Amino acid sequence: MNYPDKVRIVEVGPRDGLQNEKSIISTDTKIKFINILSKSGLQNIEAGAFVSPKWVPQMADSAEVFNNIEKNPNISYPMLVPNQQGMEKALESGVQEIAIFAAASESFSQKNINCTIKESLDRFLPVIESAKDNNIKVRGYLSCVLGCPYEGDIAVETVSNTAKTLFDMGCYEISLGDTIGVGTPLKTERMLESVMLHINKENLAVHFHDTYGQALANILIALQKGIAVIDSSIGGLGGCPYAKGASGNVATEDVLYMLSGMGIKTGIDSASLKQASDFIFKYLDKESNSKYRLALNG
Ligand code: HMG
Ligand code: MG
């Protein structure tokens, strides 16, 4: 079996991780959290979201967070952007990478961003144009690729066609999201095979929530398919407010443990990650989901 030599981890803890948290996390804590993460060797840290503060109050201070983090020039700090209004904020803050987000499920699209899939793609066109004009990289998320909280199974053709559309619109990478963590390995394999008919593995990432403990098994399948970009969240934080039942993302510490055990390089220092995890969990009303972190603690 061939595996990639090197994997790039996209840390989504400060955005996906915190967006669903009930505890009030101060702007200063978010800034310190990202600054600690920046010292771990991560190359991509999703720092926040320019979405409506009424929809996702926890992300309301994203501009302040972004403007005050110590930016390492070797790290990309993408911000989620749902529409032109979000794009204007990205431009004001001098963001160098944005992530747009669409869904493979109509019902989830309505619940999450209040429009149909087609309307969302139409909305993203001027956002992408404006990003191009300003030399801003655009990453594309596709949610519900292995199931939807409202519709259940989603046809693989819908997933692969929507992923292709997003990619053709100008995203440099499509992150395939198992938003509610219902995927299992063979289902993941079928979905990836269908998407890879249209998009090269070099332009794909995987984003697994870990509701049923399937994320690492699914990631192994993605690695076997040659996909070398993995989204994860420190301590397994995460969840989408509009996807009932969605548990946390796969824990970055657990992904790192698996990859280092397989001899796959990430450039990330696990001790610094643990520092970031210990820091943020002091402010949250829960324990880390990472088995690796627990093992380290004895
Ligand atoms: P809407 O209500 O249809 O928007 O929401 P609207 O254009 O009608 O505007 C309504 C109000 O929102 C107005 O304010 C606008 O100014 C304001 P009002 O006049 O009522 O005071 N507004 C904004 N404010 C700040 N920033 C903006 C913005 N846009 C409008 N960008 C909208 C549509 C898309 C804005 C809303 O539905 C929204 O913000 N949704 C975001 C939901 C979200 O963030 N979900 C979580 C992220 S996605 C995810 O977690 C999945 C992922 O991890 C992958 C996976 O796991 O699958 C990425
Ligand atoms: Mg997510």
Side-chain angles (χ1 to χ4, degrees):
M1 196 65 76
N2 275 337
Y3 289 99
D5 297 330
K6 198 172 184 299
V7 156
R8 179 161 55 83
I9 290 186
V10 177
E11 171 59 46
V12 297
R15 194 279 304 170
D16 205 335
L18 298 185
Q19 71 185 9
N20 208 25
E21 284 303 318
K22 301 284 174 286
S23 328
I24 295 167
I25 303 152
S26 72
T27 307
D28 187 50
T29 300
K30 292 177 187 171
I31 294 166
K32 285 187 180 139
F33 176 41
I34 297 173
N35 287 346
I36 301 173
L37 283 170
S38 290
K39 296 195 169 68
S40 65
L42 281 160
Q43 289 171 263
N44 300 72
I45 305 173
E46 206 169 65
F50 292 127
V51 296
S52 160
K54 285 185 193 145
W55 284 63
V56 187
Q58 193 66 265
M59 292 290 109
D61 58 355
S62 281
E64 213 182 329
V65 170
F66 183 84
N67 293 334
N68 288 290
I69 52 178
E70 288 160 20
K71 293 185 192 70
N72 177 331
N74 300 319
I75 301 178
S76 182
Y77 300 93
M79 301 290 284
L80 242 60
V81 165
N83 55 16
Q84 274 290 74
Q85 204 170 323
M87 188 62 199
E88 277 154 30
K89 293 200 176 153
L91 290 172
E92 275 165 29
S93 295
V95 167
Q96 287 174 344
E97 177 169 347
I98 60 164
I100 58 174
F101 51 109
S105 148
E106 280 298 348
S107 313
F108 181 75
S109 183
Q110 285 291 355
K111 298 269 186 200
N112 194 42
I113 49 175
N114 206 23
C115 62
T116 64
I117 298 172
K118 164 95 175 55
E119 281 163 348
S120 76
L121 298 172
D122 291 345
R123 263 184 207 173
F124 291 135
L125 280 172
V127 169
I128 293 173
E129 274 311 303
S130 161
K132 267 193 215 148
D133 293 346
N134 291 280
N135 241 341
I136 295 173
K137 287 173 80 178
V138 184
R139 191 171 199 245
Y141 276 109
L142 186 65
S143 287
C144 298
V145 299
L146 290 164
C148 164
Y150 311 101
E151 294 180 17
D153 283 345
I154 299 292
V156 285
E157 295 74 24
T158 309
V159 174
S160 54
N161 290 336
T162 319
K164 179 182 184 324
T165 307
L166 264 182
F167 184 67
D168 290 346
M169 282 165 66
C171 297
Y172 77 92
E173 180 170 287
I174 302 298
S175 175
L176 300 163
D178 184 9
T179 316
I180 51 167
V182 288
T184 44
L186 298 185
K187 213 172 158 192
T188 298
E189 187 173 34
R190 279 194 295 276
M191 182 277 293
L192 291 177
E193 278 169 359
S194 174
V195 173
M196 286 167 72
L197 294 174
H198 305 294
I199 305 176
N200 290 335
K201 59 182 190 291
E202 290 77 15
N203 301 108
L204 290 173
V206 285
H207 178 110
F208 290 106
H209 288 257
D210 202 21
T211 316
Y212 294 98
Q214 302 296 296
L216 286 178
N218 295 338
I219 287 171
L220 192 68
I221 297 286
L223 292 169
Q224 287 170 0
K225 295 274 165 213
I227 295 174
V229 184
I230 299 171
D231 298 359
S232 62
S233 170
I234 198 124
L237 287 172
C240 176
Y242 299 100
K244 208 164 187 276
S247 74
N249 291 79
V250 65
T252 307
E253 298 94 314
D254 294 343
V255 174
L256 199 64
Y257 184 81
M258 181 172 96
L259 294 176
S260 70
M262 294 171 72
I264 299 175
K265 296 186 194 69
T266 58
I268 299 169
D269 170 41
S270 55
S272 322
L273 265 195
K274 185 171 181 305
Q275 228 185 315
S277 173
D278 287 344
F279 173 81
I280 196 64
F281 276 90
K282 277 195 302 205
Y283 298 92
L284 303 174
D285 194 17
K286 62 176 174 197
E287 291 284 317
S288 164
N289 279 344
S290 165
K291 287 109 200 149
Y292 172 47
R293 179 175 181 272
L294 293 176
L296 270 184
N297 288 344

